[in-house]
Amino acid sequence: MNSLEVSNFEIEETEGVFTFKNENTTIGFVRFNEKGEVEYIFVNPIFRKQGLATKLLQLVKQKTGKEIILQEPISPLGSKLLKSLNKWK
């Protein structure tokens, strides 16, 4: 899969969480609060490097109407993602 098309997954929203799923698995999710603070973001390894984290953050920004605040990562992969997302801000 070279690009993530909207038709390839569904978006579920519960209180403070957006989840992208397809018929087989969870593709990714983001957990956030009403201040726009992202508490956790995850993208399934199979679907990484396709802009999914950026899409998730855009949903948070639209939902909260706030600038995104990323909490400190808890893993080396999280640190790597944070560096790539800082370009997005």
Side-chain angles (χ1 to χ4, degrees):
M1 179 180 258
N2 292 333
S3 66
L4 196 60
E5 297 295 327
V6 175
S7 61
N8 294 341
F9 61 88
E10 63 182 62
I11 302 168
E12 290 183 5
E13 179 184 356
T14 57
E15 191 172 319
V17 178
F18 284 112
T19 305
F20 288 170
K21 294 181 174 185
N22 66 18
E23 61 186 40
N24 299 316
T25 190
T26 296
I27 297 171
F29 65 90
V30 62
R31 181 177 170 175
F32 62 96
N33 63 32
E34 68 280 349
K35 298 177 190 176
E37 295 172 324
V38 172
E39 299 167 354
Y40 195 85
I41 188 166
F42 169 79
V43 176
N44 184 317
I46 296 169
F47 297 95
R48 291 183 182 158
K49 303 241 183 224
Q50 297 181 44
L52 182 58
T54 299
K55 290 177 191 233
L56 287 164
L57 293 176
Q58 288 170 343
L59 287 171
V60 171
K61 189 172 184 176
Q62 290 170 1
K63 175 74 175 183
T64 63
K66 311 272 183 176
E67 288 299 315
I68 299 297
I69 302 165
L70 300 170
Q71 293 187 353
E72 285 297 314
I74 59 172
S75 71
L77 267 178
S79 296
K80 186 176 178 180
L81 175 64
L82 182 62
K83 286 179 187 176
S84 70
L85 292 175
N86 280 331
K87 298 173 191 173
W88 175 76
K89 284 181 153 184

